[in-house]
Amino acid sequence: MSDQPGVFCPGNHEVEMCYGGEADLHKHVTGCKKNPGHKGFIPLKDFNTKCLPSRYHDDELMSETIKTLAALTVQVKTKFTSLERPAFIRDTQSPYPFYNYRGSHLIRLGTGRVSWVNKYTERDETCYCAKCQVSATPSKVWGKVHVLTSTHVVFDDSEARKTRCVIGYDDNKSPGVSLDGWWVGGGTDIERDRCVLRYVTCDLKLVDELDKMCQRFGDLCKEVRDKYGRFVHVDKLTIIVSHPHGCPKQVSVGQWTHRQERDGWTRYWYTTCTCPGSSGACVYRMGYVYLCDHPHSGWDSEGNHSGEFWM
């Protein structure tokens, strides 16, 4: 582990840019230079415990944990680049991502994870989703969905308002459910390269389903920690579910290699496969409870790396 202080890593960030619109995504897949052939990705429908190290082959606990993480994984689609993006990363001469595209409406694609859900009932404030804003009777029962991703994917409120979160895009036959963004909770965090998007909806079925999945995922993480915690520094198992190139969900399995600690915040490097479109995907480190709040950030000479979070 490195204890040297650092700032936001200037590496190669993995947002998929659609210069010719989403119709060009197929070209990005076939022409990918980061991971030609995409051998390290497993379509969600094909994932099972046999894709993991041998000690987990007969344990459905691990399979359920990864599939629950996958259910919470979302595609993040942004259609605006903020005028406030800085030219350089603080204290460096490294250009900040997409500064040259400020004010443009090019589509960027990344990944995120539903982290938690708030449900409101019979409050003075009614729902203000797009549907309720034009309704004479906005819903009094509604929810906020919080999605963790990377700051370089969605920089600030001006980008969040032009960002769509697609839940359940598991394969080409499942287009998923879309939520439109509202704002970035907690402000812009360039240094740690992590942000939380807030979405508002009166789709109570969706709110309840996501809330239950968030709680279930937390419970599963604790069960995995209790059962396999002694192997944390043996296997160093690291799994990412993402939308590479804006495509349906893919699972990749690898190991974390080392980490950097700064004032209690950590950043991890790992061998787990990623591609453009994977930025913002949460990095699952087996055996930790608070293990999925490190968003994938990019790659550098030391490998793929995350943004920062505690532990």
Side-chain angles (χ1 to χ4, degrees), residues 192-255:
R192 298 187 175 98
D193 196 28
R194 64 191 310 279
C195 77
V196 177
L197 303 175
R198 308 293 201 249
Y199 293 85
V200 177
T201 180
C202 58
D203 183 341
L204 299 182
K205 181 180 178 181
L206 178 64
V207 168
D208 289 339
E209 286 178 353
L210 292 175
D211 188 33
K212 288 178 182 178
M213 279 193 288
C214 287
Q215 294 181 44
R216 181 57 180 153
F217 183 62
D219 292 340
L220 287 167
C221 289
K222 292 176 184 177
E223 291 180 38
V224 170
R225 178 199 60 186
D226 293 343
K227 188 170 184 178
Y228 292 110
R230 65 189 184 278
F231 299 118
V232 166
H233 295 284
V234 178
D235 295 335
K236 297 184 176 181
L237 185 60
T238 305
I239 298 171
I240 294 176
V241 183
S242 70
H243 287 277
H245 303 290
C247 295
K249 290 173 191 171
Q250 304 282 316
V251 183
S252 50
V253 180
Q255 293 178 303

Side-chain angles (χ1 to χ4, degrees), residues 116-237:
W116 76 95
V117 177
N118 298 122
K119 186 175 179 180
Y120 303 96
T121 58
E122 300 303 321
R123 288 174 39 141
D124 292 335
E125 186 180 24
T126 57
C127 181
Y128 48 92
C129 69
K131 176 183 174 181
C132 286
Q133 283 192 63
V134 297
S135 173
T137 57
S139 179
K140 292 183 179 180
V141 183
W142 52 285
K144 288 180 184 175
V145 179
H146 306 257
V147 174
L148 173 69
T149 187
S150 295
T151 302
H152 74 270
V153 176
V154 182
F155 183 76
D156 60 12
D157 289 352
S158 68
E159 292 188 3
R161 287 190 288 270
K162 298 292 185 181
T163 297
R164 176 165 290 178
C165 164
V166 182
I167 301 168
Y169 181 28
D170 296 347
D171 54 51
N172 288 321
K173 296 180 180 179
S174 305
V177 177
S178 295
L179 295 176
D180 291 321
W182 285 96
W183 71 96
V184 173
T188 298
D189 193 341
I190 297 175
E191 192 169 48
R192 298 187 175 98
D193 196 28
R194 64 191 310 279
C195 77
V196 177
L197 303 175
R198 308 293 201 249
Y199 293 85
V200 177
T201 180
C202 58
D203 183 341
L204 299 182
K205 181 180 178 181
L206 178 64
V207 168
D208 289 339
E209 286 178 353
L210 292 175
D211 188 33
K212 288 178 182 178
M213 279 193 288
C214 287
Q215 294 181 44
R216 181 57 180 153
F217 183 62
D219 292 340
L220 287 167
C221 289
K222 292 176 184 177
E223 291 180 38
V224 170
R225 178 199 60 186
D226 293 343
K227 188 170 184 178
Y228 292 110
R230 65 189 184 278
F231 299 118
V232 166
H233 295 284
V234 178
D235 295 335
K236 297 184 176 181
L237 185 60

